[in-house]
């Protein structure tokens, strides 16, 4: 089984995103949001069958761990109440996709974050999505301000309420920023990668995994700059008198394979232990289009991994075993979704 | 000849940094700064002979392109006038080092930047350092706020006055942030790398090299996350309907080799054309200490490059030729410093 741990619903029916624009416009005008639009099963089916499902079949993957569009989370827009309404709407759509295509998708929720608002306000939505919808994880935005980085670092007790709930529910978080509203950053070109690198260093500088030994994070986009600079991070850990980096970080931190060329994948597999690499593509996501150097889509990451000098056991870990281990509820949830209980 | 294009005066005599603290304390108290301290030639000599010069000899490099301590620039502290006084003091020390060790150091200046203050205010110091001190480049901070990214991106006309002067003087800029005052960022662990990646994407999204075809930038720390994600950036360029990335960027943008492990250096040399790679170590800098996996210093980057499968011609380009080409005034300046004019 090949499990892609990083997919977003980038093809959701148009009225969903239109409502979001109306919601934020209403908020700015000091008015109530309009009622949420009707979205039919047929519309959802069409958006998936022509998108993620089609690419799963073409690329030979089986299951996508699926969450709301990352850039669309827009935690910097509106306030805590608009974030809550938007997260609810987005997560409900993911649930409907997983219900309609139970063999192909497992759900991960976005959280109703808002800059300067305690992540405590995200607990109810996380609990609802995990316990009622059967979701297996969440996306956590380390910078709800959208590029101004005004919230405390991830090691700060500010974040502990959501970590306590994650541990209790046995769900990991993918650390994923959203759209940059700071003109210094290009959302998918620099803000995403910088969020990954900043988050890794925040975790590394913290006591977090001492306080929460079973807390698990996936750092997407191949870990930002981290594997390329693994020697730098090993050296910094040593200079900071931390334990060796593997021991200090790799029981709790995992990297996905959203790296869009073979040399990058080679580096990732060479530097990071196999047990810490999770297959992912973020297909129909940040980087569309066909690479003229290969004739295949940039984000068809399975093709790169198939070319790596890895044993069948290692490939199986990356494509399936590690994902099931890190997303601790996934295997049981799949039994439920496939009706095999 | 082996030229290290990225060295900072991290070992400057103690009274220099002490004065900086006094200067900022005085500024906060609304008082004048105390007079600058006396620093003797012997003190400078000792700080270099036991530091950069010793390592040059041990590691087999010949010349370091030398600039003030990057984290120490602290453009977010004080205001434009404190930045100007501090830049003057720092650049003067670099000049004294280059004068005392003309075979071993060529100068690069820091600029008196301040958040929200037009880079126009840096022109006089750049001109002074190049024309009076014989400096061959400058360090340009894309985020004088120290991690809040409140100034316009590098492609904005806001920055054009300093670019015009750089072109006129034929000096490149190394794009280098300074200390992070934002607790979200670790200065050398994430802010430096994120500054590199953000800057690359700012340049890529801009018309800058159309407007200044001969402008040259060095992106340090191996280009941040960029080479590891070269496929991502190629794909984004294509999606943005830009020219191919090589054509669009690589006449003007160069990467240094401050990557502190062999796999990272292998990736850099595999992905980025040799003509765009400049040898550098940032020794006695961000990452001190010996790598227990190799028994050599993390920042002894020459050792990694010596292990790469490159031709003697390619190695010569990386170690010398490219540096002389990008730092257009360097060869003549070395003739002056070596008394061979």
């Amino acid at each position: 089984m090949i499990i892609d741990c990083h997919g977003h619903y980038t093809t959701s029916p148009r009225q969903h995103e239109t409502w979001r624009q109306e919601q934020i416009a209403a908020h700015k005008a000091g008015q109530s949001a309009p009622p949420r639009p009707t979205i039919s099963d047929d519309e959802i089916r069409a958006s998936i069958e022509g998108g993620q499902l089609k690419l799963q079949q073409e690329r030979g993957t089986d299951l996508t761990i699926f969450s709301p569009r990352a850039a669309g989370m827009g935690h910097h827009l509106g306030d805590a109440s608009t974030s809550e309404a938007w997260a609810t709407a987005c997560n409900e759509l993911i649930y409907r996709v997983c219900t309609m295509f139970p063999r192909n998708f497992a759900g991960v929720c976005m959280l109703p974050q808002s800059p300067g608002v305690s992540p405590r306000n995200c607990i109810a939505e996380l609990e609802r999505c995990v316990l009622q919808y059967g979701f297996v994880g969440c996306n956590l935005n380390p910078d709800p301000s959208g590029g101004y980085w005004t919230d405390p670092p991830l090691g700060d007790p500010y974040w502990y309420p959501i970590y306590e709930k994650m541990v209790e529910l046995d769900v990991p978080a993918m650390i994923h920023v959203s759209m940059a509203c700071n003109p210094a950053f290009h959302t998918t070109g620099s803000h995403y990668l910088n969020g990954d690198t900043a988050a890794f260093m925040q975790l590394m500088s913290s006591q977090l995994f001492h306080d929460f030994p079973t807390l698990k994070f996936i750092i997407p986009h191949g870990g930002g700059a981290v594997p390329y600079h693994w020697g730098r991070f090993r050296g910094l850990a040593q200079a900071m008198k931390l334990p060796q980096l593997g021991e200090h970080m790799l029981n709790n931190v995992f990297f996905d394979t959203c790296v869009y060329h073979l040399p990058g994948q080679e580096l990732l597999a060479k530097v990071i232990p196999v047990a810490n690499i999770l297959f992912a593509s973020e297909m129909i996501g940040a980087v569309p289009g066909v690479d003229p150097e290969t004739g295949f889509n940039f984000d068809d990451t399975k093709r790169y991994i198939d070319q790596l000098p890895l044993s069948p056991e290692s490939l199986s870990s990356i494509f399936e075993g590690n994902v099931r281990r890190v997303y601790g509820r996934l295997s049981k949830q799949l039994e439920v979704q496939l009706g095999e209980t």
Side-chain angles (χ1 to χ4, degrees), chain A residues 9-88:
Chain A
Y9 194 8
T10 49
T11 59
S12 63
R14 191 178 300 171
Q15 62 267 45
H16 177 61
E17 298 281 349
T18 303
W19 181 79
R20 170 63 164 172
Q21 290 165 18
E22 293 166 355
Q23 182 211 27
I24 293 303
H27 176 81
K28 279 186 183 156
Q31 298 167 351
S32 300
R36 272 168 48 192
T38 301
I39 300 174
S40 71
D41 282 0
D42 281 349
E43 286 174 309
I44 291 177
R45 190 173 293 114
S47 75
I48 292 291
E49 285 180 347
Q52 301 271 348
L53 193 67
K54 179 163 167 278
L55 290 190
Q56 281 184 2
Q57 289 160 354
E58 286 177 10
R59 298 181 182 183
T61 67
D62 299 298
L63 182 87
T64 300
I65 296 187
F66 207 47
S67 61
R69 194 167 68 90
M73 297 189 296
H75 295 120
H76 62 284
L77 299 170
D79 59 17
S81 74
T82 52
S83 282
E84 192 179 324
W86 177 234
T88 304

Side-chain angles (χ1 to χ4, degrees), chain A residues 36-260:
Chain A
R36 272 168 48 192
T38 301
I39 300 174
S40 71
D41 282 0
D42 281 349
E43 286 174 309
I44 291 177
R45 190 173 293 114
S47 75
I48 292 291
E49 285 180 347
Q52 301 271 348
L53 193 67
K54 179 163 167 278
L55 290 190
Q56 281 184 2
Q57 289 160 354
E58 286 177 10
R59 298 181 182 183
T61 67
D62 299 298
L63 182 87
T64 300
I65 296 187
F66 207 47
S67 61
R69 194 167 68 90
M73 297 189 296
H75 295 120
H76 62 284
L77 299 170
D79 59 17
S81 74
T82 52
S83 282
E84 192 179 324
W86 177 234
T88 304
C90 290
N91 292 331
E92 190 183 299
L93 271 192
I94 297 296
Y95 174 60
R96 290 177 68 188
V97 170
C98 296
T99 305
M100 293 169 67
F101 300 94
R103 300 187 165 272
N104 303 99
F105 297 94
V108 153
C109 63
M110 68 170 274
L111 297 172
Q113 297 178 248
S114 194
V117 176
S118 166
R120 196 180 297 279
N121 82 322
C122 299
I123 291 176
E125 180 64 6
L126 176 62
E127 204 154 34
R128 188 177 76 86
C129 288
V130 173
L131 299 182
Q132 291 181 30
Y133 288 170
F135 283 13
V136 298
C138 61
N139 291 336
L140 184 70
N141 183 348
D143 173 30
S145 78
Y148 292 98
W149 293 91
T150 49
D151 275 6
L154 292 174
D156 194 279
Y158 176 82
W159 299 91
Y160 277 28
I162 192 74
Y163 299 155
E164 286 165 8
K165 186 54 65 176
M166 284 169 55
V167 166
E168 180 195 319
L169 294 172
D170 188 22
V171 294
M174 178 173 281
I175 299 174
H176 204 308
V177 296
S178 185
M179 180 164 289
C181 62
N182 183 333
F185 301 120
H186 183 280
T187 296
T188 53
S190 55
H191 189 45
Y192 278 18
L193 302 176
N194 287 1
D196 305 334
T197 308
F200 183 86
M201 199 66 210
Q202 291 176 3
L203 299 175
M204 179 176 143
S205 312
S206 80
Q207 296 285 325
L208 199 49
F209 304 131
H210 176 266
D211 294 347
F212 297 97
T214 63
L215 190 63
K216 291 189 178 63
F217 292 113
I218 302 96
I219 303 194
H221 321 109
V226 174
Y228 175 44
H229 289 283
W230 196 242
R232 184 181 192 89
F233 288 94
R234 287 198 293 107
L236 287 171
Q238 181 171 288
M240 293 160 78
K241 303 197 188 311
L242 298 171
Q244 294 240 336
L245 204 47
E247 178 194 336
H248 184 52
M249 295 291 281
L250 294 184
N251 295 315
N252 305 86
V253 173
F254 303 84
F255 301 98
D256 86 4
T257 65
C258 292
V259 176
Y260 296 147

